[in-house]
Amino acid sequence: LFGFMRRLFEMGYMYLPATLLAELLRPKLVASYVGKGGMTELARNANLMGKISLFVLMPVLSLTWLAGNELLSLLSGEKFTESGHYLAALLLALIPLSQRTILESVAMTCNKSQYCTLASFLTIVALPVGYLLLEAGYGLWSVIVAMCTAQIIFNLTVNTAMVHSTSYRVDITGFFKLMAAGLMSYILAQLVAQQFALP
């Protein structure tokens, strides 16, 4: 089950704008930083890329949370049923992962690649977290939580280091608004689905 969901996770990541357009976006980031705009223009472009990726991702997450069981059953040829909650939780890791790609590009552009190395090292913390959850009997949830934890630790480390050493700033308000809009659309869709559910 996890291997199948992991494959779906990787496919979702591959089709995010930040991944699909990586070869085009990195030169754009470098050009914006080297040009007259400097760090301000770099931050603006990076935030725009992050918002676009999140905008594309939110409907996918909403659909997975609404119809995860049916979706997983359909894609697996009815091999895996009643496990959509695992897939929905796993896909949540795409949110920090999509931003990680952009943060790495920003750090490389600013010649701060050491922050990525430090952040990668700190993600080791996710291993004991996953192990403790596994020992506590949480099964597959331990792996999913460990994956999400690792991505969040990486992003927080790189972003914190960039904020303290450069004038780079993430548009936190804009990202929260997008996530709030996605959550509201999910809640509304859930209410509509319950309203028209067959008896």
Side-chain angles (χ1 to χ4, degrees):
L1 173 62
F2 178 72
F4 182 74
M5 291 194 306
R6 173 72 182 180
R7 181 59 184 156
L8 294 176
F9 175 84
E10 290 173 351
M11 289 176 63
Y13 174 66
M14 285 172 52
Y15 288 104
L16 287 174
T19 309
L20 277 174
L21 304 175
E23 296 304 317
L24 296 174
L25 295 177
R26 285 188 188 120
K28 172 64 176 174
L29 289 177
V30 173
S32 63
Y33 179 69
V34 175
K36 296 180 180 179
M39 184 59 74
T40 303
E41 190 66 21
L42 174 63
R44 183 182 296 112
N45 288 331
N47 284 322
L48 178 60
M49 289 162 48
K51 290 174 187 175
I52 291 173
S53 281
L54 198 57
F55 181 78
V56 172
L57 184 57
M58 294 314 291
V60 176
L61 292 176
S62 296
L63 174 64
T64 308
W65 277 99
L66 282 169
N69 289 333
E70 294 80 0
L71 185 62
L72 190 60
S73 177
L74 176 65
L75 294 175
S76 66
E78 298 185 355
K79 185 177 181 180
F80 304 112
T81 57
E82 301 302 321
S83 301
H85 50 287
Y86 287 131
L87 179 61
L90 180 61
L91 291 184
L92 283 177
L94 284 175
I95 294 177
L97 184 58
S98 66
Q99 305 307 311
R100 174 176 178 163
T101 303
I102 298 166
L103 274 174
E104 286 176 333
S105 299
V106 170
M108 297 296 180
T109 301
C110 300
N111 198 26
K112 303 291 185 181
S113 58
Q114 68 271 21
Y115 296 155
C116 296
T117 304
L118 173 63
S120 296
F121 178 75
L122 292 178
T123 56
I124 295 174
V125 173
L127 291 177
V129 170
Y131 176 76
L132 290 173
L133 289 173
L134 187 61
E135 286 295 308
Y138 287 96
L140 193 54
W141 284 113
S142 61
V143 183
I144 295 172
V145 170
M147 287 179 63
C148 292
T149 301
Q151 299 303 331
I152 292 171
I153 289 173
F154 184 95
N155 285 3
L156 285 176
T157 303
V158 175
N159 187 56
T160 301
M162 290 291 294
V163 166
H164 281 85
S165 62
T166 69
S167 58
Y168 176 77
R169 297 292 182 273
V170 175
D171 184 8
I172 297 176
T173 304
F175 284 111
F176 271 115
K177 284 180 179 179
L178 275 173
M179 287 190 284
L183 179 61
M184 288 302 298
S185 65
Y186 163 73
I187 293 172
L188 288 174
Q190 184 71 33
L191 291 173
V192 171
Q194 292 176 353
Q195 185 71 23
F196 292 97
L198 294 176

